[in-house]
Amino acid sequence: MKVEPITDVKSIKSIKKLLHDSPRNKLLFIMGVNTGLRVQDILALRISDVKHANVGDRIVIREKKTGKENVFMINKEIKETLDDYLKTIEAKDDHFLFKSRKGLNSPLTTYAVTMYVQDWCDAINLHINAGAHTLRKTWCYHQRKTFGTSWEVIAKRLNHSSPSITRRYIGVKEEEVEEVLMKSI
């Protein structure tokens, strides 16, 4: 199933509000829509990777899918949500940041995140094909449409090996092409 991004900022705010009483899941959502990382890479984070991070810090990771090095930055929202979450848990350095309730120290699974994202969308009556990858696609969508980031910069951030992957990934719609064709020079 091809998943979609959350395109409406109001829906993003509604999910954040919905997750107010679930610090772990709120942090998962915030990191997903603010970093552009694949969920499997977010789930691989350990407490020690982020517990002393401040706004503006670069966190270096190794992508599971590609084996390439990548980074994300701690922005203000990630920092605030991270601090709120860490206050609610016994934060041992070797523990996964997004620990599953199953097992002593196992991370959530991508499948579990898919179920969470679909549930969050359903809870706010957002009817899209949602899954774990929705978070990464949401980041891409808002970088391109809300902030006007070029697809080349997005491609670099996503660590894609070819521009065609990024172009397909960000989903330029036919209406957008037609809109450009209507502009006079």
Side-chain angles (χ1 to χ4, degrees):
M1 174 179 74
K2 187 176 177 186
V3 300
E4 302 168 70
I6 300 168
T7 58
D8 182 20
V9 173
K10 191 175 136 219
S11 295
I12 292 171
K13 288 179 181 177
S14 294
I15 292 173
K16 289 177 188 178
K17 189 175 180 181
L18 174 74
L19 299 175
H20 178 73
D21 293 328
S22 180
R24 180 196 70 182
N25 291 350
K26 184 175 182 184
L27 178 60
L28 177 62
F29 181 75
I30 297 290
M31 286 187 79
V33 299
N34 278 278
T35 64
L37 292 174
R38 290 179 188 90
V39 165
Q40 64 184 352
D41 295 324
I42 293 172
L43 296 177
L45 291 170
R46 302 226 181 220
I47 300 282
S48 59
D49 296 327
V50 295
K51 85 172 186 185
H52 296 298
N54 293 306
V55 174
D57 284 356
R58 300 170 84 244
I59 308 294
V60 179
I61 64 153
R62 180 140 324 265
E63 293 180 339
K64 284 189 167 197
K65 181 176 180 179
T66 66
K68 296 177 189 173
E69 196 172 84
N70 203 339
V71 301
F72 71 94
M73 306 265 311
I74 300 291
N75 68 20
K76 185 175 179 252
E77 190 166 20
I78 292 171
K79 175 64 174 160
E80 289 172 1
T81 311
L82 174 64
D83 288 349
D84 289 346
Y85 173 52
L86 291 177
K87 289 176 199 167
T88 68
I89 62 168
E90 186 183 340
K92 294 183 179 176
D93 283 359
D94 66 323
H95 281 196
F96 285 100
L97 184 60
F98 298 103
K99 240 170 73 165
S100 169
R101 290 178 188 87
K102 298 173 184 168
L104 291 174
N105 184 26
S106 302
L108 288 172
T109 64
T110 301
Y111 178 76
V113 176
T114 292
M115 295 295 99
Y116 283 141
V117 174
Q118 187 63 64
D119 289 346
W120 303 335
C121 291
D122 290 346
I124 65 162
N125 291 315
L126 178 61
H127 305 293
I128 63 170
N129 288 329
H133 221 50
T134 290
L135 304 178
R136 182 168 157 102
K137 284 191 170 190
T138 298
W139 181 87
C140 292
Y141 178 87
H142 288 281
Q143 288 303 314
R144 187 170 75 86
K145 295 296 277 184
T146 305
F147 302 114
T149 306
S150 71
W151 70 266
E152 295 93 342
V153 171
I154 294 171
K156 171 86 173 132
R157 194 294 159 263
L158 297 176
N159 246 346
H160 283 163
S161 57
S162 108
S164 63
I165 295 169
T166 305
R167 284 196 302 269
R168 187 173 64 238
Y169 193 91
I170 60 178
V172 176
K173 293 191 164 68
E174 196 60 41
E175 300 85 56
E176 290 181 72
V177 175
E178 290 171 1
E179 187 179 310
V180 170
L181 293 173
M182 290 305 296
K183 294 179 182 175
S184 300
I185 299 175

